[in-house]
DNA sequence: CGCTTTATTGACGGACCTCAATTTGGGTGG
DNA sequence: CCACCCAAATTGAGGTCCGTCAATAAAGCG
């Protein structure tokens, strides 16, 4: 954690940080102030867990800045990435699903800034804040849709298509324009990609090498830039 | 549909049909009567769709009797089964997810009896009926958990383990004791199983044949009986 | 008793995983 | 600033799981 005391950090949090975020967009300044006053703010380094699968779900979170991977760990220790969550979304909403423990582990992919509240405030947020419930359910619906898509992909597509789709999804969620293409704007290893697509880092490496030769992507260590998105889309369709 | 007029059928629906079902279990007779009076009852033959992916979500449903497969259809026409839903559960709850269309297609696996209500009643059900919301979210949470499990399975397990797991899940959800073992109590083809486990009917057939030789299962056309559940559990762990 | 749906089984090939050996790049400490 | 070290990435060889193609067989159903 930052050496700066939390309340200091908090007092600097401007209401405008939340006003444009969907779950809070219909609230007035005063309501948002109240929400911020109850929040704890924290900075996480890259690669650390925010909460762990199976742990008591005692807080819920809003990712203000950074990226988070939601992963499950198998009995044999393999990691499977279920979702990527970009800044501006809620996470750890176990209560929505009628759960008392977190269903998966959340790991920061970059340095991240996260607000959190005790789970006991959840019900009052839902009741008191107009639009909070609706937007929460929309987020949830979106994630269910994503999970569904993943299942269909895993069930029907070849590795090459899955990797192409994963990269396309990442640049659509978190892409950043750079000279020569669009870059995934957080560090991602071949290993990470392989956990996203249910394959091995070797296969991902081979695919990226082949694509690079054909001019579809350019990649450095932990960095991937798509230079020909259209061709990648074509590939992803099989 | 049955030739009997709907209201005739409805009038015969006893309150006791709903009282033991989680979403309604905290309600009194009068409330349940009101709910039933707004419901439409319908019988479906096996293998027909209750609602289709992408269609406007204008009704939500309660499966009173039978089994339903929730499937998605790929651009190339392949079917992927996302979930199996047993009697006593709600389905088509698009509104929970903030959606206006159904996210998947629901197909009856057996002859089924289904109640349904116009989606515009959803919000009032949530508000007026104690426990309805909670139980709905619990159901949803359970399904999200199942989807998660499927993703992990697809990502990490071999076909043999996936098929074993699928069968174990089916008998735990819908198993019926018969002389010599536990039977999946609705008709299920090799094709159905292959759509559940993301493989081909050929591979499923080979696996079942091998298991039958080893005395783990017994199967006839559209019928599968597990004769040695423990051994199947061992197999499913790899 | 034909006809359709469902299931079985064999042969073959290919996609992708496993094992293994290097290479590259970037950070760090002297 | 250079040498060192470790994480990340590359690439080859070989094997295997499982899908594809193909041909029958068995089971219901009218």
């Amino acid at each position: 954690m930052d050496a700066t005391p939390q309340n200091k950090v908090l007092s600097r949090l401007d209401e405008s940080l939340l006003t444009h975020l969907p779950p809070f967009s219909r609230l007035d300044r005063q309501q948002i102030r109240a929400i911020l006053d109850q929040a704890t703010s924290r900075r996480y380094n890259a690669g650390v867990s925010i909460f762990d699968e199976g742990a008591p779900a005692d807080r819920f979170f809003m990712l203000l800045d950074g990226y988070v991977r939601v992963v499950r760990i198998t009995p044999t220790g393999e990691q499977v990435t279920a979702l990527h969550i970009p800044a501006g979304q809620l996470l750890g909403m176990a209560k929505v699903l009628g759960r008392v423990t977190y269903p998966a582990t959340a790991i920061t992919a970059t340095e991240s800034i996260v607000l959190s509240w005790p789970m006991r405030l959840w019900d009052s947020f839902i009741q008191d804040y107009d639009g909070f419930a609706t937007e929460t359910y929309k987020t949830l619906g979106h994630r269910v849709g994503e999970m569904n898509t993943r299942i269909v992909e895993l069930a029907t597509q070849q590795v090459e298509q899955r990797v192409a789709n994963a990269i396309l999804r990442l640049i659509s969620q978190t892409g950043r324009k750079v000279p020569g293409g669009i870059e995934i704007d957080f560090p991602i290893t071949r290993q990470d990609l392989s956990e996203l697509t249910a394959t091995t880092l070797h296969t991902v490496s081979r695919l990226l090498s082949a694509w690079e030769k054909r001019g579809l992507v350019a990649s450095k260590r932990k960095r991937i830039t798509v230079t020909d998105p259209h061709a990648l889309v074509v590939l992803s369709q099989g």
Side-chain angles (χ1 to χ4, degrees), chain A residues 3-16:
Chain A
T4 316
Q6 274 184 15
N7 56 352
K8 188 93 181 291
V9 174
L10 261 181
S11 67
R12 276 209 229 103
L13 284 176
D14 197 88
E15 285 92 347
S16 65

Side-chain angles (χ1 to χ4, degrees), chain A residues 4-152:
Chain A
T4 316
Q6 274 184 15
N7 56 352
K8 188 93 181 291
V9 174
L10 261 181
S11 67
R12 276 209 229 103
L13 284 176
D14 197 88
E15 285 92 347
S16 65
L17 269 177
L18 293 189
T19 45
H20 68 288
L21 299 178
F24 307 109
S25 52
R26 294 199 215 160
L27 307 182
D28 59 37
R29 266 183 73 97
Q30 210 169 11
Q31 289 176 307
I32 289 188
R33 191 66 256 166
I35 287 173
L36 282 175
D37 286 347
Q38 292 175 298
T40 300
S41 166
R42 183 165 168 199
R43 190 190 66 83
Y44 293 85
N45 283 323
V48 303
S49 102
I50 298 177
F51 54 82
D52 290 290
E53 178 173 349
D58 48 8
R59 300 189 76 82
F60 63 98
F61 306 82
M62 161 58 75
L63 181 62
L64 279 187
D65 191 50
Y67 296 101
V68 167
R69 280 185 292 144
V70 177
V71 308
R72 296 200 69 182
I73 298 165
T74 69
T76 61
E78 297 161 283
Q79 290 195 0
V80 179
T81 303
L83 290 169
H84 268 247
I85 298 184
Q89 292 199 4
L90 292 167
L91 67 158
M93 310 177 284
K95 199 98 193 243
V96 190
L97 302 175
R99 300 192 50 127
V100 295
T101 59
Y102 296 113
T105 300
I107 295 180
T108 52
T110 61
E111 181 183 340
S112 298
I113 311 286
V114 176
L115 294 185
S116 74
W117 298 265
M119 196 63 87
R120 66 183 151 73
L121 294 182
W122 180 265
D123 289 330
S124 62
F125 272 43
I126 292 279
Q127 284 193 351
D128 299 347
Y129 300 130
D130 183 39
F132 184 80
T134 311
E135 288 302 329
T136 301
Y137 297 139
K138 235 178 239 171
T139 300
L140 191 68
H142 189 253
R143 291 198 193 154
V144 169
E146 258 193 62
M147 287 173 61
N148 243 310
T149 305
R150 291 248 7 252
I151 290 176
V152 172

Side-chain angles (χ1 to χ4, degrees), chain A residues 205-223:
Chain A
S205 176
R206 279 185 244 270
L207 286 172
L208 287 176
S209 296
W211 292 347
E212 187 141 17
K213 275 194 192 113
R214 292 167 53 190
L216 307 191
V217 303
S219 71
K220 310 192 212 299
R221 161 178 272 238
K222 292 193 180 185
R223 291 275 152 203

